[in-house]
């Protein structure tokens, strides 16, 4: 067991002070949230091939039923995704992605008290869904597609910039880093610079280290252990670990048996100051982050 040296401890203490004293508000298409607290984002896949709900919710009405339940369970965000980023998943055409995502975004934004997040890398989908009421762009490709930074800027809503090494189809083949923490940090810094140059406002940027996106178990664990270091970049953090294979590797459990491990991961993220945790199991995770919030308020 190694104790942090005093310099490191001072650094961590000052981060806590920073988080407590300054409420960070973000405006998601008119819904203002305090990002010094941890909110739960429910995952809503509208792909026929999504890995952990088997594509059960690929029609508009089924998606709405699921979204209503997640909002009733306390989801502040619903992340609607029409393109599977699972390695080996079939690529989706722009028209297909628009057809899957737009009706669901429009229906949720019109009916439910939640922020609609759109999991997309396509500038056309960003533009169209923002028009239909989406409040957040969640791009696992960090606005690397041609026209994406400009589309995100024009949409005028917050954007989550996530670290990825490589491309979704091949990213898990042989992920390699000299120093994973430093490389994730410098990638995010560079992508923020590109986004801001295209006109994305700094107050509209969220960051995500991208668990499982071109990372071995060791890389993921190093990033989780040092997650609070990312606060120094000055933007709220979004963390997605729910049911991921890193939890399967740690526990030996199949994807539908990873709820306890997922709750543990979300709890760690909330304790380390994540503003959003992206999860499949909303109700259970809301309880977990409430425990963390209650403790932080008391302390
Ligand atoms: C993440 C994500 C996925 C994540 C953000 C899965 C779309 C894979 N993971 N978006 N998306 N962060 N921001 O297992 O970690 O849910 S898809």
């Amino acid at each position: 067991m190694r104790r942090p040296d005093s310099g490191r401890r001072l650094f961590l203490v000052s981060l806590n002070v920073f988080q407590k004293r300054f409420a960070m508000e973000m405006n998601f298409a008119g819904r203002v949230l305090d990002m010094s607290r941890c909110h739960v984002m429910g995952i809503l896949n509208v792909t026929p091939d999504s890995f952990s709900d088997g594509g059960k919710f690929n029609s508009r009405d089924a998606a709405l039923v699921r979204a209503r339940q997640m909002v009733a369970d306390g989801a502040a965000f619903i992340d609607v995704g029409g393109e599977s980023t699972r390695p080996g998943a079939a690529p989706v055409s722009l028209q297909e992605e628009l057809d899957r995502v737009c009706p669901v975004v429009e229906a949720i934004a019109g009916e439910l008290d939640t922020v609609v997040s759109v999991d997309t890398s396509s500038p056309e989908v960003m533009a169209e869904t923002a028009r239909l009421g989406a409040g957040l762009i969640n791009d696992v490709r960090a606005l690397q597609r041609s026209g994406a930074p400009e589309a995100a800027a024009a949409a005028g809503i917050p954007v989550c910039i996530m670290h990825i090494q490589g491309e979704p189809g091949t990213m898990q083949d042989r992920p390699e880093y000299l120093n994973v923490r430093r490389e994730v940090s410098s990638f995010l810094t560079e992508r923020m610079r590109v986004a801001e140059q295209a006109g994305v406002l700094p107050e509209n940027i969220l960051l995500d280290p991208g668990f499982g996106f071109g990372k071995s178990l060791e890389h993921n664990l190093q990033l989780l252990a040092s997650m609070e270091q990312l606060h120094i970049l000055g933007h709220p953090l979004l963390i997605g670990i729910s049911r991921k294979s890193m939890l399967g590797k740690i526990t030996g459990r199949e994807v539908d048996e990873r709820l306890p491990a997922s709750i543990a991961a979300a709890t760690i993220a909330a304790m380390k100051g994540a503003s959003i945790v992206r999860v499949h199991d909303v109700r259970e995770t809301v309880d977990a982050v409430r425990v963390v919030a209650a403790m932080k308020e008391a302390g």
Side-chain angles (χ1 to χ4, degrees):
M1 282 259 282
R2 194 166 52 88
R3 291 177 60 81
D5 62 41
S6 63
R8 188 169 144 77
R9 209 171 319 141
L10 186 64
F11 167 70
L12 295 175
V13 167
S14 48
L15 282 176
N16 285 333
V17 169
F18 181 84
Q19 281 175 50
K20 258 219 132 87
R21 284 187 47 205
F22 300 90
M24 310 179 272
E25 289 198 333
M26 271 181 104
N27 187 334
F28 299 91
R31 288 172 199 278
V32 178
L33 294 181
D34 173 6
M35 304 308 274
S36 70
R37 297 187 44 239
C38 185
H39 304 275
V40 174
M41 169 183 277
I43 299 170
L44 187 59
N45 289 315
V46 288
T47 58
D49 62 345
S50 56
F51 83 100
S52 60
D53 65 17
K56 273 177 286 184
F57 300 106
N58 52 5
S59 77
R60 178 190 165 282
D61 290 345
L64 245 186
V65 168
R66 178 92 181 103
R68 278 190 202 114
Q69 186 61 54
M70 291 197 288
V71 173
D73 289 343
F77 296 81
I78 302 287
D79 191 37
V80 181
E83 182 217 16
S84 176
T85 46
R86 188 168 49 103
V92 58
S93 73
L94 171 60
Q95 194 57 53
E96 177 74 30
E97 192 185 350
L98 285 166
D99 291 346
R100 287 178 189 174
V101 164
C102 291
V104 176
V105 168
E106 187 174 25
I108 299 174
E111 184 188 320
L112 297 175
D113 182 18
T114 193
V115 176
V116 185
S117 163
V118 184
D119 161 15
T120 189
S121 301
S122 151
E124 292 86 353
V125 176
M126 293 172 191
E128 187 58 16
T129 54
R131 202 181 60 76
L132 295 172
L136 173 64
I137 294 165
N138 178 27
D139 183 5
V140 301
R141 292 181 184 80
L143 306 178
Q144 292 184 98
R145 280 216 184 133
S146 171
E150 293 74 17
I157 55 177
V159 54
C160 178
I161 296 179
M162 195 195 79
H163 175 272
I164 179 169
Q165 185 183 80
E167 263 286 309
T170 51
M171 65 193 177
Q172 289 305 98
D173 287 355
R174 236 181 169 282
E176 267 186 62
Y177 299 85
L178 288 174
N179 181 326
V180 69
R181 301 165 222 238
R182 217 173 298 154
E183 285 172 49
V184 166
S185 203
S186 55
F187 173 95
L188 292 175
T189 303
E190 168 61 14
R191 296 314 301 164
M192 276 197 285
R193 193 189 61 73
V194 171
E196 286 177 27
Q197 218 153 43
V200 175
L201 301 175
E203 62 264 35
N204 274 349
I205 295 177
L206 283 151
L207 298 176
D208 183 337
F211 288 96
F213 284 82
K215 292 161 190 95
S216 67
L217 174 60
E218 180 87 282
H219 298 140
N220 286 317
L221 289 173
Q222 285 176 6
L223 285 170
L224 184 59
S226 62
M227 198 195 105
E228 55 271 58
Q229 288 177 15
L230 288 174
H231 290 308
I232 221 150
L233 298 178
H235 295 268
L237 301 180
L238 190 161
I239 297 296
I241 305 182
S242 181
R243 299 188 191 171
K244 283 189 177 172
S245 73
M246 64 182 279
L247 301 180
K249 288 183 185 127
I250 295 167
T251 61
R253 306 259 184 224
E254 290 305 320
V255 68
D256 57 349
E257 295 176 334
R258 294 179 191 159
L259 174 61
S262 299
I263 298 294
T267 305
I268 293 169
M271 284 193 66
K272 287 174 175 270
S275 298
I276 305 176
V277 286
R278 180 183 177 276
V279 304
H280 300 85
D281 304 284
V282 171
R283 198 170 74 102
E284 294 85 346
T285 311
V286 165
D287 278 2
V289 305
R290 277 187 184 146
V291 173
V292 175
M295 179 199 68
K296 287 192 174 189
E297 267 157 41

